[in-house]
Amino acid sequence: TVPGTGAHGRRVRITGRVVQSQDAALDGAWARLVKPAASGGSSRFAVDRGARATLRFTGRGVAIVAPMGPGRGKASIEVDGKQVGRVDLQAPDHVQRLLVWRRTWKGSGRHTVRVRVLWTPGRPRVDVDAFLVVR
């Protein structure tokens, strides 16, 4: 819970939680990588086109946390069954625990967010470290 100031100067409390990648529903071949720099000490990665990590939640905001680096590929982001964007996790250097995508709504509701591996030639790997959910 974080205190803050909302619209019109009113004080608000923001409540959230971290959902580790191993707590998402995983379709396809996702491997677990134990590493101290990851949120919760491990992350998941896949190299197969179409592999999906799905999180169902109730909230008014969600974000995806992932590492970026050489050899990392692209993923499609879907919310409530519709593609809403793509992320490219390629970077010249390895960087851990980056917020790579986010979405908010005016009110809390039930939603599903899905990360789907697009398989990028020469750099197929997509990592998912954690999801952040704002209630």
Side-chain angles (χ1 to χ4, degrees):
T1 304
V2 178
T5 304
H8 310 294
R10 294 182 299 184
R11 294 185 60 76
V12 296
R13 282 216 173 282
I14 299 171
T15 304
R17 66 185 174 106
V18 176
V19 179
Q20 302 301 331
S21 59
Q22 57 266 24
D23 295 328
L26 302 173
D27 296 330
W30 289 83
R32 181 174 181 235
L33 179 63
V34 176
K35 57 182 174 180
S39 174
S42 69
S43 65
R44 298 288 188 149
F45 72 91
V47 296
D48 295 338
R49 175 183 286 163
R52 299 177 300 182
T54 304
L55 178 70
R56 290 174 178 82
F57 65 96
T58 299
R60 60 185 178 105
V62 64
I64 299 169
V65 178
M68 293 180 70
R72 299 305 197 276
K74 296 178 184 177
S76 169
I77 309 299
E78 301 168 8
V79 174
D80 300 332
K82 297 178 186 169
Q83 183 178 339
V84 296
R86 290 183 176 193
V87 293
D88 189 343
L89 302 175
Q90 173 77 4
D93 297 310
H94 290 283
V95 184
Q96 300 296 318
R97 289 189 274 187
L98 292 173
L99 194 149
V100 297
W101 178 88
R102 68 176 172 79
R103 169 66 55 104
T104 59
W105 296 268
K106 289 184 180 183
S108 185
R110 294 183 55 80
H111 299 285
T112 300
V113 65
R114 179 172 289 132
V115 179
R116 186 171 47 85
V117 177
L118 293 175
W119 199 86
T120 311
R123 51 188 188 101
R125 181 174 166 166
V126 169
D127 294 57
V128 175
D129 192 354
F131 298 87
L132 305 177
V133 175
V134 177
R135 296 183 187 159

